[in-house]
Amino acid sequence: MASNRWLRYQLPRLGFARRAVLRFMPGEDSESALRAGKDFQKDGISVVFTRLGENITRLEEADEVAAHYLGLIERIHAEGLDGEISVKLTQLGLDLDVDRTAAHIERLADRAASFGKTVWIDMEGSPYTEKTIALYERAKARHPNTGLCLQAYLHRTAADIQRLLPLEPALRLVKGAYAEPAALAYQTRREVDANFALLSTAMLDAACAGRRIRIALGTHDVNLIDQITRHAAAIGLPKTAFEVQMLYGIRADEQRRLARQGFVVRDLIGYGTAWYAWYMRRLAERPANVLFALRQLLP
Ligand code: FDA
């Protein structure tokens, strides 16, 4: 459904869908995202903002997205927020012009660096994995304040972590949100969870061995977080050796609990009008969300 063009156009026009999506984002404009960011900060939770959208088809759209993010970085700073941004490369033109996309990332990283902030790059479906990593390598060589998302469901990720370690990377590990074939990705929850634990352990072991790496666990799976925390403790690392990143609207109680317990927690706040494909991925992660959405049909 995430890639269905007809639905992509129709669904966002329906009132019940617009009401349902508000469970996962504070609003469509950046001001509501910034307001939500301030509320999180009161609870000791930092934030990362993303303007939803992907696979743009005209380069001018990418220019507009980049200009938007440049302005947002200024606003984050002006509001005194511990906030970063996370971008999708296909929203910055990766399908159309790789060099221009790289230039956008560099401009964003430049501006973010002047405020001591990081620019994260999301990971999209497998046709983009190699291109995204290659562009990250290019950006990271010149901009230390860039980070990359890697997906634990992909077989290749263990090797990608080793490949990126010399760059002193910032890595956000997630389970992965796209439908991928068995040749490329683990298919069962058990396998994905096991690989997530293994990859997190590898990153922590690298940190313990003195490698410079910023580790973010992008998951709501508190059992996994607990397991990884125990590994960190066993090798002598504090729980601040990594940070936990979760999505707005998901396990908010756990986000606050972890922050209270001294974990570094960052909430990813999505906003914008182009929420359709992103929202479909949130529904797919948890079928109960479909019921929640349908309930919005009731008066
Ligand atoms: P899992 O799916 O096992 O969920 C664990 C528990 O969390 C569930 O039992 C449930 O309680 C809760 N939960 C999880 N998803 C939920 C939902 N949609 N609604 C309600 N409850 C839910 N993916 C990607 O491919 N590229 C990317 O760049 C990113 N970026 C990213 C950033 C951050 C900060 C996060 C947290 C996640 C991503 N993802 C992502 C999404 C990620 O790949 C994955 O699909 C989701 O995080 C869901 O997996 P969990 O790790 O939460 O575990």
Side-chain angles (χ1 to χ4, degrees), residues 40 43 45 220 222 246-247 249-261 265 267:
F40 278 111
D43 289 330
I45 296 173
H220 314 93
V222 285
M246 294 194 189
L247 301 177
I250 301 182
R251 306 207 106 169
D253 49 341
E254 291 294 341
Q255 298 186 31
R256 283 193 291 270
R257 177 184 66 81
L258 290 166
R260 275 198 308 273
Q261 290 181 352
V265 181
D267 185 278

Side-chain angles (χ1 to χ4, degrees), residues 197-261:
L198 200 73
L199 298 173
S200 306
T201 302
M203 291 193 290
L204 286 168
D205 290 348
C208 189
R211 305 298 288 260
R212 283 170 64 92
I213 174 172
R214 177 176 166 191
I215 304 168
L217 307 181
T219 183
H220 314 93
D221 191 332
V222 285
N223 293 331
L224 257 180
I225 293 169
D226 192 42
Q227 188 184 332
I228 295 160
T229 308
R230 276 187 270 116
H231 177 79
I235 60 172
L237 291 177
K239 51 189 160 196
T240 48
F242 59 87
E243 64 187 66
V244 176
Q245 296 189 0
M246 294 194 189
L247 301 177
Y248 177 93
I250 301 182
R251 306 207 106 169
D253 49 341
E254 291 294 341
Q255 298 186 31
R256 283 193 291 270
R257 177 184 66 81
L258 290 166
R260 275 198 308 273
Q261 290 181 352

Side-chain angles (χ1 to χ4, degrees), residues 122-123 149 151 175-177 189 219-220 282 285-286 289:
D122 285 358
M123 187 56 81
C149 180
Q151 297 153 327
K175 291 189 186 176
R189 176 175 293 257
T219 183
H220 314 93
R282 300 293 79 80
E285 281 156 5
R286 199 151 180 258
N289 291 341

Side-chain angles (χ1 to χ4, degrees), residues 7 13 18 31 35 39 78 87 110 136 154 176 180 202 211 226 237 249 265 275 298-299:
L7 277 174
R13 297 153 63 106
R18 296 172 78 96
E31 290 308 312
R35 270 197 304 277
D39 287 341
V87 300
D110 253 341
Y136 177 63
L154 290 184
E180 299 291 357
R211 305 298 288 260
D226 192 42
L237 291 177
V265 181
W275 44 258
L298 301 173

Side-chain angles (χ1 to χ4, degrees), residues 61-83:
E61 292 176 76
D63 298 345
E64 190 275 323
V65 170
H68 172 88
Y69 275 124
L70 287 173
L72 184 73
I73 292 167
E74 302 276 349
R75 291 281 286 127
I76 293 169
H77 175 69
E79 295 291 336
L81 280 171
D82 180 356

